[in-house]
Amino acid sequence: MFRIAHLTDPHVGPLPRPRLRELLNKRLTGFFNWHSGRTKAHDMELLAALVTDMHDQEPHHIACTGDVANIGLPEEWSTARVFLEGLGPPDRVSFVPGNHDAYIEGALQGLLAVCGPWTEDDGGALGKFPYVRRRGHVALVGLSSAIPTAPFVASGRMGRRQMEAAERILAQLGEEGLVRVVMIHHPPHVAGASAGRNLTDAKRFEAMIARTGAELVLHGHNHIGSVATIPGPHGPVPVVGAPSASSRGGTITHRAAYYLFDIDEEAGETPRIRAQLRGLKPDGTIGFLEEVSLTEKSGGIKVTFRPERRAR
């Protein structure tokens, strides 16, 4: 069995004090948003407790799907690195960036210059997307949807070159018989987020997965726990979104939590993937919340879904 923990959108704080010239762009609205609400919504003590619980579950690998930063200040990059170091060494933690990590032009490049080791692919390249990390019978594929956008816009885009490269990689990994786990920040399916917050090339992503397939897709961005499916060549592919790892408010699906996925190594043609959600409980402690069914809903009937694995 291979165990993956998935967390996202920690929005690591506190926010550094920016210089005036650093606020003469989109950061100004983000700065006011942080102090008017986000600083209360994102609890760093809660985040630390969540990470402690996650380590207690002894995952073999941790996937972090973006938004470690808030408004792309250079001071946030070193804070993000400290957070990733707390998750684990680069060979056991995979990171893909979110829209807050690419808040303005140049912010993503600065972050990746500091946090690149957590994106290193099998060939040793840092900060390049897509990237591949083979871990036993599992292959983690990191994609970037992080782009700078105008104020009040939080959309993402993969772009043609990255999409084409991802298709070649997923096809090859499928031929190798590996369990393919795709990581991306924005919900990559067409109905995943509203306009202005969506992946603008989600339709192309769905078409690509329909041709190549994948066994599991992980994302963040919506700050809510969710399970959806998109068509693959051999059956539906589960698309799982995690809540913000530092959020204290809201319903059980909005409060801080992370997923654990147990992927069987010897499962014949169809690897069995068991999932559970752990996070902030009503009594204020961190622990088990629920088993998660990777399902397809059709005509109101829930059908248990087991991802298909190609023969080696």
Side-chain angles (χ1 to χ4, degrees), residues 39 78 197 216:
T39 186
S78 57
R197 289 183 44 80
L216 182 62

Side-chain angles (χ1 to χ4, degrees), residues 189-308:
H189 49 306
V190 172
S194 58
R197 289 183 44 80
N198 61 324
L199 184 73
T200 58
D201 44 7
K203 188 173 182 179
R204 291 188 63 192
F205 180 89
E206 285 195 3
M208 182 262 291
I209 293 296
R211 292 189 294 269
T212 65
E215 281 61 61
L216 182 62
V217 179
L218 306 178
H219 71 84
H221 190 57
N222 284 343
H223 293 200
I224 186 170
S226 64
V227 178
T229 62
I230 57 178
H234 306 292
V237 175
V239 179
V240 182
S244 163
S246 60
S247 177
R248 183 167 288 280
T251 66
I252 190 172
T253 56
H254 289 81
R255 291 197 295 263
Y258 67 95
Y259 286 99
L260 282 177
F261 299 95
D262 291 324
I263 305 173
D264 284 353
E265 183 170 5
E266 298 297 336
E269 293 294 317
T270 56
R272 185 171 57 185
I273 302 177
R274 296 183 297 275
Q276 63 172 284
L277 185 68
R278 297 183 63 88
L280 182 61
K281 299 166 67 175
D283 64 4
T285 61
I286 303 293
F288 173 83
L289 295 175
E290 62 178 351
E291 294 287 340
V292 180
S293 295
L294 304 182
T295 63
E296 180 185 26
K297 293 182 180 179
S298 177
I301 301 173
K302 224 177 218 186
V303 182
T304 300
F305 170 67
R306 293 178 64 189
E308 180 158 343

